[in-house]
Structures are given as structure tokens and as C-alpha cells.
Amino acid sequence: MRRPIITLTTDFGLQDHFVGVMKGVILSIAPEAQLVDITHDISPQQIAEAAFTIAEAYRWFPKKTVHVVVVDPGVGTQRRPILVEGGGHRFVGPDNGVFSMVMERETCSVREITAQRFFLKPLSQTFHGRDVFSPVAAHLAKGVTPSQFGKKIADALRSEFAKLHRVGKRSWTANVLKVDRFGNLITGFAVQDFPQLGQCVFELQAGMERISLLVHSYAEAPPNEAVLIAGSAGYYEVVVNCGSAAKKLGLAAGSPLELTIW
Amino acid sequence: MRRPIITLTTDFGLQDHFVGVMKGVILSIAPEAQLVDITHDISPQQIAEAAFTIAEAYRWFPKKTVHVVVVDPGVGTQRRPILVEGGGHRFVGPDNGVFSMVMERETCSVREITAQRFFLKPLSQTFHGRDVFSPVAAHLAKGVTPSQFGKKIADALRSEFAKLHRVGKRSWTANVLKVDRFGNLITGFAVQDFPQLGQCVFELQAGMERISLLVHSYAEAPPNEAVLIAGSAGYYEVVVNCGSAAKKLGLAAGSPLELTIW
Amino acid sequence: MRRPIITLTTDFGLQDHFVGVMKGVILSIAPEAQLVDITHDISPQQIAEAAFTIAEAYRWFPKKTVHVVVVDPGVGTQRRPILVEGGGHRFVGPDNGVFSMVMERETCSVREITAQRFFLKPLSQTFHGRDVFSPVAAHLAKGVTPSQFGKKIADALRSEFAKLHRVGKRSWTANVLKVDRFGNLITGFAVQDFPQLGQCVFELQAGMERISLLVHSYAEAPPNEAVLIAGSAGYYEVVVNCGSAAKKLGLAAGSPLELTIW
């Protein structure tokens, strides 16, 4: 029998006891769980970054995996805890938009988690990662069915992070979804939406630069020049071979981009 | 049958081979062990920080968990390796005060680890995390009984990190136990020692600020104002909503605080 | 039956989805695998650092462990993926020198990985950690034999990172192999090559400092003075007690050193 997998994505960092505590809570309930960290270095309270990260990560895991996401600036307020089912995966976290990009990819059903019998007591006002989301994920992994946690809702918060807009006959705007560790800028232009870039003339306005070269590997890029590449996440990325595109262009997550195709 | 859990808390960081090596040693002896990182980012050689972290983390794990703590500026000197039993948990690390805050919470018995047959050979002078603490933890997890590692001692080092002192009829001093990733200041004032703060007038002197507002969630705090909250670790914390209290107040771990209650 | 162990060493950092994705791919193929992170904080594209790290880590794991190393500036070019067998361990990664220091320690056989049926499709040009190395490692861990992945090759890239050279009757040069988290400088002078340092007069020229004191533990070192110690990795290290030798001496990985012995 397979061990159930639980993934963790938070903005807790790794220097404190928070992540270890969540794992202790999960293993106390579901000792057979296989725990996998996606990342705990989401920038503090940056929901868009978490939304992108979990949307990139979940689909590489086996079906039935439980994905916990805790980036939760509204902890302790009336924001709801939710359980999302989609694509054969289960997601647990706050109703603050953090699963928006998963919902764009999959047809999802969403439940408000109201069954307090699965929460730790006393319930803190500041650490629902420990008191709500970890125990719910552990019980899910043990086989408690989603319907036991609460009723379906239709108004879960969905934020539009990718913001792809057509602004002219040949022009679209989007923004930088994420800057990765290498300084690559992951743009909101999905490869499947613009599959023709390799066969046409294009220009991407990114900060003060106009990029018109698409390469197939980092090594193809001329030294110190920003170019476009079809990234592994399915979006075009602005990269600088052996350098940081983010630094060279002075851009960050959220920065606007405009693509024109002839 | 449950897989035995071994947690790791060190100041080794994650960029070197040290942590991976410890895990290799453990899995070579106890391949069935479930390894959980609490943190490896304890500030180098900061015993107080490690003492706080393990004391917050251990109690969320199942009983019988083995907790390894290696923050060990005295490695290679005569400081003793110890095995602490308390609260149903087992702890392995240097006798330098690192388990002081566990000992405050639990009635503990302490053994000096002298059974060199459980150590790796040759024994290095600089990496007892690999040569002493990892193999001892692995053998413990496999079922070797504590008494086989050495005799009980009564003089294990206990440091007083919380330093709560009454300094007047209505005043107490303590210090900042830890600054977490969000810049929250975890104070030495335990909620259970001052349960009345929500029902009385109080003032916490913290750096140049006098704090007299207690909130129930981060969102309740007025923007950019330092307030007090009952933190998830059981201590009052000084927090700034969506900001860093440590930066705003210019305080760090160890900084003095004074609480007055009317 | 033992769970197969797969270790991961990359320069992907921990803030992105990359490492989580690799683990998802591995667990989808080999759900019984035990995953262990060596480090994901190799400096971006620093092959020498990765070569040192995996050479220090692998030998503490049980035989049959599969070690994945992805520090891969040439991803998407013609550089070959390879499978290295040596010392009872298996290694998977790019043919760019990353296993050079393992090959110095062990008699190794090397295969080019050509069996594309084990790769994910479509194969990206930028993330072979996901599409090539993770699935190959997972299939290896599941019992696919090395010969099924491709033919033996004799021309795998071996870089000479340690660079120990005799430059006089009593003098040798080497370089700094790595700076660890504590600022200790791990030198290319192996303890087994210079076992007599404790019994003779020596001088190590390191930056502007001449070091002539060898200590047995950090605590023996005079305050704020750079001294030599026989490090846990088997190399002499330049250390400063409770300080950073790298900062004090202004040296980094690759910096030249000269040792003279009388």
C-alpha cells in the first residue's frame, strides 16, 4: 500500500520551529504520511507567489496527494479555511486566492472546512498552519472523506494573477509571475497561448529592454543579453545566460510586460 | 508498526554537506527511521536560540520521538554528550544548556553518553553531529535502551534563558527569547504567567516604545504600530501587522523588556 | 525490505518549485523511495562546489544509494547525461565534471544515459533535473539495471579541482575547495597526504596571513587568530574560533594556498 503524500508550501521560512511543528502534528495523526516540502520561502504574505508555486508543483505528484499551503496574512480573522479538490489532488489552505492558479488549470470543487473536531484545541489565533491545516491534511491523508470537513461553497476567492490582456490587434500585456533563484523572469505569457513565437517576429517590452530573440537553451543566448526561452513551467521566461535577468532589467514579480507579434 | 521518528536541530545551515552526512549515518544504522528537520538555521553557536526552538517543537511530535540537537561550540573539548529523557521524548546533544528549556517544561532524567561502541571511528574533533549524536540517535530509535549509553548524572548544565524577574510590586523584567522570520519578538512573558493582560491596563517597555495594546489577531493591529499578541508558542509576542517589530523597535534576541500591570 | 534511498544535490535553492517538482516526479515512479536532501544551495552553476559536496556526502550513506546531482549550466546543449557507478553507490547527473571528486576516491564505471524511454515527455530544454535525472534515479531505485540506461563510455569529463602541486622540495600549492557556513576554509591539503603536520614546523600562506599553528579543537585556537585544524572531511581547514576565517583572510573557494614544511 502506498504511503499517502502530503506536500507543504508556506512562508514560514526554515529558521524557526514552525515547519517542524506542523510536521510533528501531521505525523502524530498520520504516522505513515510521506512529507514533502515544496518551499517554505514564499516571500512573507505574498499570495500570488504561493499561487504560482503550488500550481507549478502539484501536477508532478501522484493523484491523491494532499497539498497544504499556508500563506495566510488573514489568520485569526473571518477568512475561511478551505479544502479544494481538482485534477485528482486535494488542497488545504486559507480562502485568500492562494489556489487561484490551480483553479485555472483544473475544474475544482471547494469546501469550507467547518468540522472543528479535526482542529487542535485550544485553537490559536496566529498559527492555523499548526492548529487547522496540518491536522485536516493528516486526517484527509488517513482517509477521512472531503465531505466530512464541511459543505461545498461557490464563492471561494479567485484572484487573477496572470493578468493576460489583449491591448491591440497584435499586442498583449501580462506581468512577471515570479523571479526564480537564477533571476529568470517567468512571464504571464503561456507557451500554449503563443506557440508561434519561434516562427514569427516579436518584441517583448520588459522594463527598458526590447527583447526579440527566442533561444532553445541557456547556452544559445549571447553573453549578457536578455532573451526569451520557453520555460519548464510552460511560460516564456526572460533569461540572461549565466546572469540575472531580474537584476539586468530591474524587474520583479508583478512588473508589467507587453508582447507584440508581427 | 510505526517508523521511529528522529528530528534534527542544528546550526549547520543547509548549504554544506553536514546535514546530509548526518542523515546518511542515521539511515545506515536505522534505515526505517523517519527523519524530520526542525531547523538547521539556528544562528551559529547560539545555544539560547536552539534551547527555545527544541522546547517549542518537541511536544508536537509523538512520544518516543528522538530529538537530536547539535549547536556545539565546545565540540572537541571535555563537554559531555548527554541523553535526556522527559515527557516521553528522548533528546541527544551536547551538555551545554541546549535542553534547558525542555527541562523547565518536563521532569527529566539525564545520562552522560559514554558508551563509545555506539560512536563512529575514528572520532573527529570537530563533527560530533556525525560521529556521536547521529549514531546514538539511530541506535536509540532502533531500540537500544537509554541505560546502555551511560550512567545518570545530576549536574547537567541548565541555563536560565527566560530570565523572568519581579522587580517591583507591579513590574517584571524578561527578555526577547527569539525573533522569528516575520520579525515578531517572542518575549519571555508566558501567557499562563500573565493570563490577565486582556482584562487590565498594562505597559510593556520594549526599546524606546511603550506598548499597551493587546490584540487577538494580526489584522486587529493598527498599521505600523507595535502591539502585543498571545503567540502560538505560549508567550506574548510583540508584533507589527505586515511589518517587522524587530526592525521597528531595534530589538533582537536577548533584548531586555519590562512589563508593568495596573 | 529496505526502502531505496535517493539523495539530491542541486543549485536550485529552496524558494522555487523546482526541488518539490523533482520529488513529485520521483515519488510518482518510485513511491517507496526515501528522499534525502544533501543541499540545494550549491552556488548557481558552481560545478567545483557540487563536486566537493557530493564527494563528502555519498560515502556516509548505505551502499546502493542513488545520488542525483543537478548543477547543470549546459542544460539543453549536447552535454551528456551520465550514470556513474563506484564504491557501491550510483550517481546520476550531467557530464560536466560534477562527479570528478567521487571518481578520485572510487574506481568508477560511467555510462551515457541514452534510453529516452525513461525520460519525461515532452523533454524540456531547461529542466533536465525534472525530465531526465529524477525519472532515471527513480527507475534505478526501483531496480532497473544500469546497463538498461545506456552504454559505458571512457571519456567522461574529469576536472581537477583539488589542484595539489609540488612547487619545491618542501612546498606545495593547493586551493580553497570550499568555504563552509561557519567561514571555515576547507583546503585542498588532505590530512592523509600530510599526516606529519602535527609533528613538524610548517607554514601555510593564505592570503596575507602565514599560519603555523595546528589545533585539535576549535576551543584551542587563540581568539581571533587563523589556525589550522584537521577537518571532518579529511582536509586541513583554516578556522578562526567563533569567527569566520573567510572574512578575516578575505579568501573564497578557489583561492590559492601554499604550504611549506620543514
Side-chain angles (χ1 to χ4, degrees), chain B residues 208-228:
Chain B
M208 304 299 283
E209 297 255 347
R210 290 167 184 214
I211 297 164
S212 53
L213 181 59
L214 178 73
V215 300
H216 294 97
S217 71
Y218 297 125
E220 269 181 44
N224 202 32
E225 189 179 323
V227 300
L228 220 55

Side-chain angles (χ1 to χ4, degrees), chain A residues 34-115:
Chain A
Q34 170 103 317
L35 296 165
V36 179
D37 300 305
I38 303 299
T39 181
H40 300 288
D41 285 337
I42 298 293
S43 306
Q45 305 166 343
Q46 293 307 302
I47 294 167
E49 199 179 313
F52 175 79
T53 300
I54 190 60
E56 289 313 308
Y58 81 92
R59 56 206 158 96
W60 303 97
F61 284 83
K63 307 249 171 188
K64 298 218 162 180
T65 296
V66 178
H67 304 275
V68 181
V69 179
V70 191
V71 176
D72 194 13
V75 63
T77 67
Q78 293 304 311
R79 72 93 191 89
R80 302 171 293 189
I82 56 173
L83 193 173
V84 178
E85 295 170 86
H89 293 259
R90 283 89 57 90
F91 302 85
V92 172
D95 178 29
N96 62 11
V98 84
F99 299 120
S100 298
M101 293 185 76
V102 170
M103 294 181 192
E104 279 173 27
R105 285 182 171 276
E106 309 282 356
T107 305
C108 290
S109 74
V110 184
R111 292 172 187 278
E112 181 180 354
I113 301 169
T114 53

Side-chain angles (χ1 to χ4, degrees), chain A residues 143-237:
Chain A
V144 175
T145 56
S147 64
Q148 292 180 266
F149 293 97
K151 294 217 166 83
K152 285 194 185 179
I153 58 174
D155 61 343
L157 185 63
R158 295 180 61 155
S159 304
E160 193 201 351
F161 293 118
K163 295 184 192 119
L164 179 68
H165 292 300
R166 188 159 199 163
V167 294
K169 203 171 185 179
R170 302 187 172 105
S171 299
W172 290 260
T173 57
N175 56 334
V176 175
L177 295 177
K178 177 126 200 291
V179 177
D180 75 15
R181 146 140 165 132
F182 301 95
N184 300 326
L185 303 167
I186 300 166
T187 77
F189 298 107
V191 175
Q192 64 181 30
D193 292 340
F194 298 93
Q196 76 280 38
L197 276 202
Q199 288 87 47
C200 66
V201 176
F202 72 89
E203 187 180 86
L204 179 74
Q205 179 82 35
M208 304 298 285
E209 297 255 349
R210 290 165 185 216
I211 298 165
S212 53
L213 182 60
L214 177 74
V215 301
H216 294 97
S217 72
Y218 298 124
E220 269 181 44
N224 203 32
E225 189 178 324
V227 300
L228 220 56
I229 194 166
S232 63
Y235 298 93
Y236 287 103
E237 301 181 11

Side-chain angles (χ1 to χ4, degrees), chain A residues 2-3 5 14 34 36-42 49 52-54 56-57 59-62 178-182 186 216-220 229-233 237 241-243, chain C residues 3 10-21 23-25 27-29 31 33-35 37 40-45 73-77 120 124-127 130-131:
Chain A
R2 283 201 180 197
R3 300 171 65 202
I5 300 172
L14 290 171
Q34 170 103 317
V36 179
D37 300 305
I38 303 299
T39 181
H40 300 288
D41 285 337
I42 298 293
E49 199 179 313
F52 175 79
T53 300
I54 190 60
E56 289 313 308
R59 56 206 158 96
W60 303 97
F61 284 83
K178 177 126 200 291
V179 177
D180 75 15
R181 146 140 165 132
F182 301 95
I186 300 166
H216 294 97
S217 72
Y218 298 124
E220 269 181 44
I229 194 166
S232 63
E237 301 181 11
N241 188 13
C242 291
Chain C
R3 298 171 67 203
T10 77
D11 62 353
F12 291 157
L14 290 172
Q15 71 266 53
D16 298 313
H17 56 280
F18 305 129
V19 173
V21 165
K23 292 180 180 179
V25 169
L27 292 173
S28 294
I29 297 166
Q34 168 103 320
L35 295 165
D37 299 305
H40 298 287
D41 284 338
I42 298 294
S43 305
Q45 306 167 343
V75 63
T77 66
L120 298 198
S124 73
Q125 293 299 303
T126 58
F127 193 6
R130 178 189 71 193
D131 301 335

